[in-house]
């Protein structure tokens, strides 16, 4: 009897854990172009642009991811990141820089907009030095759950070399 109960318990645990993995994996779909792949929630609306400067946007009612492409024009990744930070901080939205890391041709920039010590809005931005262009991807969030989604999306980004 104990062996049957133990076996049944193990089978139920295995089934539950595999269901969780499957539902998580099925929650995202992949956008792929000649240069970029990115995973985003299946329920989000997408817009594919024919513009070379903004090839892909996906959004839910309260969260959005945008992509952008800009020719380098003799600008380094470091100077472009400084330009983006200065531009972002000059807005009236009151964002504060949390993190800036530049490593191996990729910049990660994180901002928050706070009120009374609470995060009202945050954004995660990745900028990639790729060929003769910079690829920028930005995802906003308001809640911790949305932040987790934003981090998942941003960590799924792959540039095709």
């Amino acid at each position: 009897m104990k062996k049957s109960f133990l076996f049944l318990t193990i089978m139920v645990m295995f089934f539950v854990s595999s269901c969780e993995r499957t539902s998580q994996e099925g929650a995202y779909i992949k956008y792929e172009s000649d240069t970029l792949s990115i995973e985003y929630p299946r329920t989000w609306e997408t817009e594919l642009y024919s513009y070379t400067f903004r090839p892909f946007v996906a959004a839910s009612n309260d969260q959005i991811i945008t992509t952008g492409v800009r020719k380098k024009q003799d600008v380094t990744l470091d100077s472009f990141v400084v330009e983006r930070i200065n531009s972002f901080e000059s807005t009236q939205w009151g964002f504060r820089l949390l993190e800036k890391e530049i490593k191996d041709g990729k910049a990660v920039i994180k901002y928050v907009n706070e009120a009374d010590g609470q995060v009202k809005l945050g954004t995660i931005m990745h900028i990639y030095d790729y060929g003769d262009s910079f690829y920028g991807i930005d995802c906003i969030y308001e809640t911790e759950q949305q932040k987790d989604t934003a981090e998942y999306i941003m960590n799924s980004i792959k540039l095709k070399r």
Side-chain angles (χ1 to χ4, degrees), residues 89-153:
E89 290 181 342
S90 69
T91 67
Q92 73 273 11
W93 300 323
F95 280 95
R96 178 176 61 85
L97 180 65
L98 279 182
E99 178 184 329
K100 174 188 89 170
E101 180 183 351
I102 302 172
K103 183 178 174 184
D104 299 327
K106 173 184 171 183
V108 176
I109 307 167
K110 297 180 180 180
Y111 292 98
V112 291
N113 173 297
E114 299 170 316
D116 302 322
Q118 300 286 334
V119 172
K120 289 175 44 180
L121 188 64
T123 187
I124 303 170
M125 180 184 300
H126 288 190
I127 301 172
Y128 297 88
D129 185 342
Y130 184 81
D132 65 348
S133 300
F134 295 117
Y135 281 76
I137 298 99
D138 183 43
C139 191
I140 64 167
Y141 61 89
E142 292 181 38
T143 66
E144 281 301 311
Q145 183 178 3
Q146 288 179 355
K147 182 179 179 186
D148 291 345
T149 300
E151 288 176 350
Y152 180 91
I153 291 168

Side-chain angles (χ1 to χ4, degrees), residues 55-67:
F56 177 76
V57 174
S60 66
N61 288 335
D62 49 7
Q63 204 168 2
I64 187 169
I65 181 165
T66 59
T67 62

Side-chain angles (χ1 to χ4, degrees), residues 21-72:
R21 260 196 320 271
T22 302
S23 66
Q24 176 66 17
E25 290 170 4
Y28 290 85
I29 58 176
K30 186 183 284 189
Y31 162 77
E32 289 191 82
S33 72
D34 293 342
T35 55
L36 168 75
S37 74
I38 187 168
E39 294 180 39
Y40 62 95
R42 181 175 298 280
T43 58
W44 287 20
E45 296 290 325
T46 59
E47 295 182 30
L48 302 175
Y49 294 106
S50 58
Y51 317 130
T52 56
F53 64 89
R54 186 174 308 271
F56 177 76
V57 174
S60 66
N61 288 335
D62 49 7
Q63 204 168 2
I64 187 169
I65 181 165
T66 59
T67 62
V69 181
R70 175 180 157 184
K71 295 288 184 191
K72 287 183 189 174

